Amino acid sequence: ARAFTLRTLLGWQTKPWHGLAVTAQAIDVSRIGSKRYNDEPASAASARFPTVADPENTDINQLFLDYTGVPHTRVRLGKQSIVWGKTELFRNTDQFNPQDFALASLPGLEESRISLWSARGTWSFYNFGKIEDVRLELAVNLDDFEPADLVPELQREGIGGTVLVQAADTVLETRFLLDLARDHAFVAG
């Protein structure tokens, strides 16, 4: 396949007004030149060209409101990408936002994070004795992603089912996953 796509991020941020500022960022993925690739995985078996998982799309990447009207405090509410810690390869501390693995060929993790509707609060204590840059950060995921939300994606991609992976070795997590498998026919195991 010969696939040339252009990934564009366009952002805009207001100047703070009484401690409030708005940030918006749109993302666009466009094809450049002739389409010599297949971007429909559902038709991969009969496609003339190999599949390239970078479909054309325009969407809101981030849209949030920042409040900094209280000293040493920032509260952010909206669709955002939350990054905790610096990572080069393994995301051991940066686990808030899911990652789009179809974008694995991008040079950094920043571009492959999926922004979520969430709230985040940061309280900076600055220097605390000999310890520098002490902060308390809290985040809450406001997205309500349910298994039924996956059905249109599965249908669009021609996928007949999915497998659940247990993240926590607890009885509660096991029961939760078994209930999902019982309630949703597309869960294969």
Side-chain angles (χ1 to χ4, degrees), residues 26-179:
I27 186 168
D28 178 72
V29 179
S30 300
R31 174 174 37 100
I32 298 174
S34 63
K35 185 176 178 182
R36 300 186 56 92
Y37 62 94
N38 174 35
D39 60 357
E40 308 257 346
S43 65
S46 61
R48 186 171 161 204
F49 298 108
T51 300
V52 174
D54 202 6
E56 292 186 281
N57 181 37
T58 301
D59 201 358
I60 296 172
N61 192 39
Q62 297 192 80
L63 176 63
F64 54 82
L65 175 71
D66 269 331
Y67 178 69
T68 56
V70 176
H72 312 294
T73 303
R74 166 173 284 168
V75 177
R76 178 173 287 173
L77 181 64
K79 189 174 184 180
Q80 57 187 299
S81 180
I82 295 176
V83 180
W84 278 329
K86 183 176 172 148
T87 181
E88 298 299 331
L89 180 61
F90 299 105
R91 299 177 54 204
N92 56 348
T93 61
D94 179 23
Q95 295 292 324
F96 193 85
N97 292 83
Q99 186 176 1
D100 186 344
F101 290 107
L103 305 176
S105 62
L106 293 173
L109 291 174
E110 289 286 328
E111 296 89 351
S112 64
R113 281 190 190 91
I114 300 171
S115 298
L116 299 174
W117 292 98
S118 52
R120 180 182 188 180
T122 305
W123 294 269
S124 295
F125 302 105
Y126 295 100
N127 297 344
F128 191 75
K130 293 186 176 188
I131 303 172
E132 297 180 7
D133 194 24
V134 177
R135 292 184 247 182
L136 172 64
E137 295 192 37
L138 303 171
V140 176
N141 179 357
L142 303 175
D143 267 341
D144 192 16
F145 188 84
E146 297 291 329
D149 296 329
L150 187 58
V151 173
E153 298 295 322
L154 293 172
Q155 290 172 345
R156 181 173 54 92
E157 301 299 331
I159 299 171
T162 187
V163 176
L164 302 175
V165 177
Q166 186 166 353
D169 187 19
T170 65
V171 173
L172 185 63
E173 175 93 353
T174 302
R175 287 183 182 148
F176 173 72
L177 295 177
L178 288 172
D179 288 344

